[in-house]
Amino acid sequence: MPLRPDGRLNHDLMPGEKGPQDACGVFGVWAPGEEVAKLTYFGLYSLQHRGQESAGIATSNGEQILVYKDMGLVSQVFDETALNALTGHIAVGHCRYSTTGGVTWENAQPTLGPTASGTVALGHNGNLTNTAALVDLVAERHGAQRRGELARGNTTDTALITALFAGDADHTLETTALEVLPRLRGAFSLVFMDENTLYAARDPQGVRPLVLGRLERGWVVASETPALDIVGASYVRDVEPGELICIDAEGLRSTRFAPVERATCVFEYVYLARPDHTMNGRSVHAARVEMGRALAREHPVDADLVIATPESGTPAAIGYATESGIPFGQGLTKNAYVGRTFIQPSDTLRQLGIRLKLNPLKENVRGRRLVVVDDSIVRGNTQRALIRMLREAGAAEVHVRISSPPVKWPCFYGIDFASRAELIANGLSPDEIGQSLGADSLGYISAEGMIAATEQPASQLCAACFTGKYPIELPPADQLGKHLLEQAELPLGAPEDGLRSLAVSAGGSGALERP
């Protein structure tokens, strides 16, 4: 049977050219009397940019948990029938990009597992760095035989957290979480629930965003503030690093499980987060505009027009134009229906590459000296093709300006960059990169200019992909990697029936089969 188009968004402008891939999006709601599945659907819809591989929603009516998840975009996975079947007053949702484990249905979230008194459904944004140690801890506590999600083929660090939340008969899920969360290392913004309570937790560094909002009849937690806006929730505050929040019929309570060691990902400000998100009190859009202004001060050039690489370069391009006095205009038009297809282009079409996604406005660029603003350069293939296309459209000069420093190091906290060997900035200087791209000049913003634009102290940001300085200690290289849990030599034995461990729970077993 031929493969059907999966509908997943592809931010890469060239087929096969992999840019920095987003983290995941999480959403949770506690709201008796509301259609929580539909609230979650729209919340995930607003977070779709953070992950396009799979989507899932779990709901609880106080007695049982139901989960529905599948591969594809939120709008493809769910329809009215599916959402109407997900009844209850609590929900958690997730849209995934894989930073640990392969792109499979088994790895879709929310994950499901038993607790001492019921069931837990969990969604995770981020990436743990002590996965190998957690494998040992799961084996120590529950035996080497794979159970639950691990038995069903889940190869993510999220499945390990779910397994550890199983706890024992003397502990509630809240008590177990407070014991497990301090054992986790790396980036984790979690939303999870049992039959009666919604939970949210964030790692002590607060690497990935997580916010709390208020509904008229309930509460919402989400990766970004636009998800609050879309469901009519008012922003209350960020979930603090090292904080566990519990929401149930008794209200909201907060417990600190670790001291704050803030190291927010600066790449959220540069690219990952939506521009209408507010993070640590700073508008992401305003930060990106200021990055463009700083870029103009640091790398001025005589030119006729500032254009952006749509859409991520637009705020910085506006800032560059404002600061430099060079007019901002549209030089490229983007196909609004950009997605992946399994129809292979001919050799002729493949050579056109980037034109599947972008096309120049020839009357705007012909004869003009252009400043092209983008957020980052990974391999450089996209920018090289873009510059060639603009020159073919008649551009007199093409000056490239990048609103982040050269990306030289991998991320182990939830962003999937190309390998270090593939990063163009590792082998070439900025001038050499500019020559390689075919640009008349190339300028990167300084790390200082980028950080100043966020209005956050440098000591409270993670800029490891630019500096190689990792704020959370990393294990040996052989204990890192996206597919670590797929390695046969890890100390987890052959799986038993994955359903067996859920037989005593209050609900959820029916949700374990693929829709």
Side-chain angles (χ1 to χ4, degrees):
M1 180 178 177
L3 292 170
R4 63 177 175 85
D6 59 12
R8 285 178 275 168
L9 300 180
N10 187 351
H11 296 303
D12 308 322
L13 297 176
M14 294 183 67
E17 171 69 359
K18 179 183 175 187
Q21 298 296 316
D22 298 0
C24 300
V26 295
F27 187 90
V29 57
W30 187 94
E34 299 285 356
E35 294 182 283
V36 293
K38 290 186 177 180
L39 290 175
T40 304
Y41 171 86
F42 287 111
L44 293 178
Y45 200 90
S46 72
L47 298 171
Q48 185 74 86
H49 61 287
R50 299 188 69 88
Q52 299 92 40
E53 292 179 353
S54 63
I57 295 174
T59 60
S60 172
N61 60 9
E63 297 181 357
Q64 64 176 357
I65 288 177
L66 297 174
V67 181
Y68 188 95
K69 58 186 179 182
D70 207 348
M71 308 302 293
L73 300 177
V74 175
S75 59
Q76 292 178 306
V77 171
F78 298 101
D79 56 21
E80 287 278 354
T81 302
L83 293 173
N84 288 337
L86 292 169
T87 58
H89 66 285
I90 314 174
V92 298
H94 188 270
C95 53
R96 181 175 189 252
Y97 175 78
S98 56
T99 53
T100 298
V103 185
T104 64
W105 181 85
E106 288 77 11
N107 286 342
Q109 298 181 35
T111 55
L112 204 60
T115 68
S117 58
T119 311
V120 60
L122 184 145
H124 172 206
N125 172 209
N127 199 51
L128 301 183
T129 57
N130 65 332
T131 298
L134 295 177
V135 168
D136 291 334
L137 185 58
V138 169
E140 173 189 321
R141 292 188 173 186
H142 305 297
Q145 203 168 30
R146 294 177 185 243
R147 291 178 170 82
E149 291 277 351
L150 295 168
R152 293 187 293 278
N154 191 314
T155 56
T156 68
D157 48 2
T158 311
L160 292 174
I161 301 173
T162 307
L164 290 170
F165 278 177
D168 57 52
D170 297 327
H171 290 77
T172 63
L173 177 57
E174 182 177 347
T175 304
T176 301
L178 289 172
E179 192 273 328
V180 169
L181 293 172
R183 308 288 292 268
L184 308 181
R185 298 289 180 271
F188 57 92
S189 287
L190 306 176
V191 292
F192 56 103
M193 69 178 189
D194 57 21
E195 283 76 6
N196 297 295
T197 306
L198 175 68
Y199 303 88
R202 198 172 176 207
D203 62 81
Q205 288 74 28
V207 177
R208 300 281 152 234
L210 194 62
V211 296
L212 174 68
R214 191 77 164 98
L215 290 168
E216 184 177 351
R217 294 191 287 182
W219 297 88
V220 174
V221 288
S223 291
E224 299 182 21
T225 53
L228 304 183
D229 299 335
I230 200 171
V231 299
S234 58
Y235 170 79
V236 175
R237 63 178 176 85
D238 286 12
V239 176
E240 287 295 309
E243 180 184 24
L244 172 66
I245 286 176
C246 309
I247 302 168
D248 58 19
E250 302 300 317
L252 182 147
R253 57 189 178 277
S254 167
T255 307
R256 180 160 298 284
F257 64 84
V260 177
E261 301 173 10
R262 193 180 297 275
T264 302
C265 172
V266 73
F267 209 73
E268 293 277 356
Y269 288 99
V270 171
Y271 170 76
L272 288 182
R274 275 177 50 154
D276 49 345
H277 174 47
T278 299
M279 188 163 56
N280 296 332
R282 176 61 163 162
S283 159
V284 170
H285 180 268
R288 291 176 185 169
V289 170
E290 182 55 37
M291 288 175 196
R293 296 175 69 101
L295 193 52
R297 292 191 293 269
E298 294 178 5
H299 296 283
V301 65
D302 288 331
D304 304 309
L305 187 69
V306 177
I307 68 173
T309 302
E311 302 288 339
S312 57
T314 301
I318 292 171
Y320 193 102
T322 302
E323 185 71 18
S324 66
I326 302 170
F328 170 78
Q330 187 176 1
L332 298 161
T333 184
K334 185 176 182 181
N335 180 358
Y337 299 95
V338 173
R340 298 180 182 178
T341 174
F342 289 106
I343 303 300
Q344 296 300 314
S346 65
D347 289 340
T348 302
L349 288 174
R350 188 177 291 109
Q351 290 171 9
L352 296 177
I354 198 170
R355 292 183 188 271
L356 296 172
K357 311 292 176 67
L358 290 178
N359 210 35
L361 291 167
K362 295 178 182 178
E363 65 274 16
N364 281 10
V365 305
R366 187 181 295 117
R368 293 192 170 186
R369 299 169 297 171
L370 304 179
V371 179
V372 182
V373 181
D374 206 348
D375 59 86
S376 60
I377 299 177
V378 181
R379 289 185 178 91
N381 295 335
T382 296
Q383 285 82 6
R384 188 176 296 112
L386 179 63
I387 292 167
R388 185 187 312 119
M389 187 173 67
L390 289 169
R391 291 200 188 280
E392 290 172 354
E397 297 175 11
V398 181
H399 301 274
V400 177
R401 296 294 181 266
I402 305 298
S403 60
S404 64
V407 176
K408 294 186 176 183
W409 299 87
C411 175
F412 299 104
Y413 308 138
I415 308 174
D416 194 15
F417 285 111
S419 68
R420 189 160 188 240
E422 296 173 290
L423 296 172
I424 192 172
N426 270 323
L428 301 173
S429 69
D431 287 343
E432 291 171 331
I433 294 171
Q435 293 172 11
S436 171
L437 299 181
D440 290 284
S441 70
L442 170 65
Y444 289 94
I445 194 174
S446 65
E448 294 77 14
M450 173 188 65
I451 289 171
T454 69
E455 297 185 348
Q456 309 299 310
S459 61
Q460 296 184 11
L461 291 171
C462 174
C465 55
F466 306 118
T467 66
K469 298 177 181 178
Y470 294 94
I472 306 171
E473 186 178 359
L474 300 177
D478 62 353
Q479 295 182 19
L480 288 168
K482 180 173 178 176
H483 301 289
L484 185 67
L485 281 175
E486 293 161 9
Q487 297 175 9
E489 63 268 21
L490 287 175
L492 282 175
E496 68 169 15
D497 176 8
L499 298 180
R500 191 176 307 161
S501 66
L502 281 171
V504 298
S505 69
S509 61
L512 300 176
E513 299 300 325
R514 182 170 180 162

